[in-house]
Amino acid sequence: MVSELHSPASHSSVPVHKQYPIVFNGIQLGLSGLVCALALVSPRKSLNLYDNPASYLCVSACIMLAYYALLAFFDVYCFKARGDSWRPRARPTSVRISSVLSMVASTLAAALVIAVGFVLFGAPATTHYAETLTAALNVSLLAVTPSILTLKPTFGAYRRALLSAEQKSIPEKWASGFFWCTICVTWMSAYFIPMDWERPWQKWPIPVIGGAFLGNMMGVLYVLVRCFVVPIARADFEETQSIQRQMARDYEAQRGPVTRSMAKKDK
C-alpha cells in the first residue's frame, strides 16, 4: 500500500518527495496539533475547565469538529492530496456534504461508545451527564476522528490499522498513532481521580481530558517520526544504496575491457 503514496514526477518548483508531498502533509500535521492546542484556549476567563467543564468542553469540541469538517469537505486529510497541485479532487457538493455528515455521525457514535466506557470504568452514572458526554466527544475527536477520515469505512480496514500487528501503510500508521496514543494516555490519566490528594484538578473529568490532549500531542510526535522521518530516511538510504550499486556496476563494466586489452599486450 505504500506504493499508493508515490507521487507522479513533477517539473514544478513544488517540493514533492518520492513518496508524498512533504510540505503539504507536514503543515497538515502541524495544524492538527495547533487546532488541538487552540481548543484548550478559553474565549473568556469565566469559561474554564474547573468552573464550567461541560461548556468549556463543548466549545473545544466545536473547534475541533469545525476543523475536521473542513478537511472532510475538501477531502485532503492524511496524504489524500498528492502530486504537484495539492488541489482537492473534483467532487459534487452533495458528495462533500455527505462526507462531512458521515464524519460527524461516526464521531458522535464513537463518543457514545466512549461515554459508556467511561461509566463502566467508574465515571458518575447518575450525575455529571453533560461532563461525561462532552468529555467523551472530545476524546472521540482526538482519538477516533483521524481514523474516520483516514481509513475506509470497513471493519477490515479498522481491524488492520488499529488491532493487527501486520505491516501497515503510512496512512494506517497515521490513524493508529493518534488512536492508541490518545486512548492509552487517557486511560492512564484516570488513575489520578481516586487519589486522596484532594486537589481541584482531580475532579471528573479534568484528568481524563488532560490525558486525552496530552496523548494527542504524543500522537503528533509519533506520526511525525513514523510517517515522515523514518520513511524519508529509509527511502533516501535505499536510493543511496541503489546509486552506489549502479556506480559499482558501471565501474566494473568500464574496467573489464581495459583489463582484457592489458592481458593481450602482455601476451
Side-chain angles (χ1 to χ4, degrees):
M1 296 184 68
V2 176
S3 60
E4 299 175 1
L5 301 176
H6 289 187
S7 302
S10 172
H11 57 274
S12 66
S13 59
V14 178
V16 179
H17 191 263
K18 58 182 71 64
Q19 286 189 304
Y20 46 76
I22 298 175
V23 175
F24 182 85
N25 292 290
I27 291 175
Q28 190 178 116
L29 180 63
L31 280 177
S32 297
L34 180 61
V35 168
C36 292
L38 289 176
L40 293 173
V41 178
S42 175
R44 61 178 188 273
K45 188 175 181 179
S46 60
L47 184 62
N48 57 72
L49 191 56
Y50 291 96
D51 299 328
N52 300 290
S55 301
Y56 175 87
L57 293 175
C58 186
V59 172
S60 65
C62 289
I63 293 174
M64 290 187 288
L65 193 61
Y67 169 68
Y68 286 128
L70 287 174
L71 295 178
F73 184 83
F74 291 107
D75 193 29
V76 294
Y77 188 71
C78 184
F79 309 105
K80 291 182 179 178
R82 310 186 188 105
D84 59 351
S85 64
W86 297 355
R87 294 178 180 178
R89 293 184 299 173
R91 299 192 305 168
T93 304
S94 60
V95 176
R96 297 179 183 274
I97 295 176
S98 176
S99 298
V100 175
L101 295 178
S102 176
M103 181 273 296
V104 173
S106 300
T107 300
L108 293 176
L112 291 177
V113 174
I114 293 172
V116 173
F118 283 164
V119 173
L120 293 177
F121 277 94
T126 57
T127 59
H128 300 82
Y129 301 113
E131 288 84 352
T132 300
L133 290 175
T134 52
L137 179 57
N138 276 264
V139 174
S140 176
L141 286 164
L142 293 169
V144 183
T145 306
S147 300
I148 294 172
L149 292 175
T150 304
L151 305 175
K152 295 180 179 180
T154 63
F155 175 78
Y158 280 85
R159 182 200 61 79
R160 174 183 168 82
L162 304 180
L163 301 177
S164 74
E166 302 174 10
Q167 182 67 29
K168 294 179 174 59
S169 67
I170 290 180
E172 290 171 338
K173 294 174 183 176
W174 180 296
S176 63
F178 281 110
F179 179 82
W180 285 114
C181 287
T182 303
I183 292 297
C184 290
V185 180
T186 300
W187 176 69
M188 289 187 292
S189 65
Y191 280 90
F192 292 102
I193 297 178
M195 299 293 183
D196 58 353
W197 299 340
E198 297 182 356
R199 297 291 188 270
W201 54 265
Q202 286 183 266
K203 71 176 184 178
W204 174 258
I206 296 176
V208 169
I209 291 300
F213 278 92
L214 177 61
N216 186 267
M217 294 301 172
M218 293 174 63
V220 171
L221 295 177
Y222 174 88
V223 169
L224 177 64
V225 174
R226 289 297 304 274
C227 298
F228 288 85
V229 177
V230 173
I232 292 174
R234 182 183 294 120
D236 291 339
F237 175 77
E238 291 175 353
E239 183 181 24
T240 302
Q241 293 294 311
S242 176
I243 293 174
Q244 291 177 349
R245 288 192 294 268
Q246 184 61 41
M247 291 176 63
R249 287 193 293 268
D250 294 342
Y251 175 76
E252 291 295 334
Q254 295 176 1
R255 185 170 175 268
V258 174
T259 303
R260 287 194 294 271
S261 63
M262 292 179 64
K264 290 179 180 180
K265 291 180 179 180
D266 293 339
K267 291 180 179 180

